């Protein structure tokens, strides 16, 4: 079985540009969450989607947006990139519903560098 | 609101020694608790999780953790460290429909 797939694996962007990160969840999983992990820190929650609806949003500016498609894949978009957006962006897949009992499976992440 | 505190940003052990990584949590509702491991330039791999039932949870690679409600702790242990255990370890908490809240991580260093 394929795990959680994220693309691209690495990305270099210039300040002010826009970026789109993509995630395909495990087959049968209906929930996707996005996390930002800055070097030396734990992952911070950005968004959660379940059945194409936004279920939760973390404390991130409006420059960050996301969506989930009918096939449950997801995109994370970041506008007007800042140097501080440089981080590993992780996508987590879960069955949905009551999350706690099932846990989350993470992809390998997209390493974004803003120069 | 939930939070996780991992005591010690770095822990050093010798190969064959006991590994103990500490995690304390705060949650207003019964928590679900997780330990993840992250190797350099990789994503997070689930080591073990506590949901309900037995408070001593066994995970992969010989790791285990014990949920202690009275101490709000979920410490990770392994009887004998191996060089391949060197990585960063994250404790996380969630409950019901909420998302994961992570600690800041503990880097485990294993010396020969």
């Amino acid at each position: 079985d394929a795990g959680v797939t994220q693309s691209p694996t690495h990305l270099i962007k210039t300040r002010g540009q826009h970026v789109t990160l993509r995630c395909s969840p495990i087959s049968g999983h209906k929930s996707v969450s996005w996390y930002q992990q800055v070097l030396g820190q734990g992952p911070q929650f950005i968004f959660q989607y379940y059945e194409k609806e936004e279920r939760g949003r973390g404390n991130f500016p409006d420059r960050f947006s996301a969506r989930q498609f009918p096939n449950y894949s997801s995109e994370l978009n970041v506008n007007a990139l800042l140097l501080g957006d440089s981080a590993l962006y992780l996508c987590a897949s879960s069955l949905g519903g009551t999350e706690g009992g099932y846990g989350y499976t993470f992809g390998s992440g997209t390493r974004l560098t803003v120069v | 609101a939930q939070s996780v505190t991992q005591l010690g940003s770095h822990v050093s052990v010798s190969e064959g020694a006991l590994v103990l990584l500490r995690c304390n949590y705060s949650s207003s509702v019964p928590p679900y608790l997780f330990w993840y491991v992250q190797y350099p330039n990789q994503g997070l791999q689930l080591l073990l999780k506590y949901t309900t039932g037995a408070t001593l949870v066994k995970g992969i690679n010989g790791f285990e953790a014990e949920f202690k409600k009275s101490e709000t702790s979920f410490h990770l242990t392994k009887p004998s460290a191996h060089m391949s255990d060197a990585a960063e370890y994250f404790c996380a908490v969630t409950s019901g429909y909420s998302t994961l809240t992570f600690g800041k991580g503990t880097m485990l260093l294993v010396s020969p």
Side-chain angles (χ1 to χ4, degrees):
Chain A
D1 284 341
V4 180
T5 305
Q6 290 188 244
S7 63
T9 55
H10 295 83
L11 203 53
I12 299 176
K13 289 287 190 177
T14 303
R15 278 177 297 176
Q17 284 188 315
H18 162 270
V19 69
T20 297
L21 310 181
R22 296 178 174 83
C23 172
S24 293
I26 291 172
S27 178
H29 284 196
K30 298 181 179 180
S31 181
V32 170
S33 301
W34 288 95
Y35 290 80
Q36 180 196 63
Q37 186 180 17
V38 174
L39 197 61
Q41 298 292 321
Q44 296 292 315
F45 169 68
I46 310 175
F47 285 107
Q48 184 183 39
Y49 278 78
Y50 175 63
E51 287 281 15
K52 301 178 288 294
E53 297 289 328
E54 182 183 301
R55 173 179 277 179
R57 172 186 287 252
N59 187 24
F60 280 80
D62 291 343
R63 298 185 295 107
F64 288 76
S65 63
R67 55 180 175 168
Q68 187 177 32
F69 298 99
N71 66 353
Y72 302 110
S73 67
S74 177
E75 283 183 353
L76 175 69
N77 294 283
V78 187
N79 292 323
L81 285 167
L82 303 174
L83 294 179
D85 295 330
S86 296
L88 180 68
Y89 289 83
L90 295 164
C91 173
S93 165
S94 62
L95 283 167
T98 303
E99 304 291 352
Y102 301 114
Y104 298 76
T105 302
F106 283 82
S108 297
T110 294
R111 173 73 63 187
L112 172 65
T113 303
V114 183
V115 297
Chain B
Q2 299 169 315
S3 65
V4 172
T5 302
Q6 292 185 239
L7 294 175
S9 59
H10 291 78
V11 170
S12 295
V13 299
S14 299
E15 193 172 20
L18 171 72
V19 175
L20 171 61
L21 304 182
R22 299 178 187 275
C23 171
N24 288 88
Y25 69 91
S26 172
S27 177
S28 58
V29 296
Y32 298 111
L33 295 157
F34 303 82
W35 275 100
Y36 285 89
V37 61
Q38 187 175 38
Y39 296 98
N41 299 314
Q42 294 189 24
L44 300 171
Q45 180 183 8
L46 180 66
L47 275 178
L48 49 81
K49 63 181 179 180
Y50 168 78
T51 54
T52 58
T55 57
L56 182 63
V57 180
K58 295 187 183 298
I60 62 172
N61 300 336
F63 285 94
E64 63 181 35
E66 186 171 11
F67 170 61
K68 293 187 176 181
K69 183 178 178 181
S70 61
E71 299 177 8
T72 62
S73 69
F74 190 57
H75 302 329
L76 182 70
T77 60
K78 182 174 180 178
S80 177
H82 192 272
M83 296 295 291
S84 61
D85 294 327
E88 189 154 27
Y89 292 79
F90 293 94
C91 181
V93 64
T94 187
S95 62
Y97 292 90
S98 68
T99 59
L100 284 171
T101 299
F102 286 89
K104 292 186 175 182
T106 298
M107 183 67 71
L108 176 64
L109 307 170
V110 183
S111 56

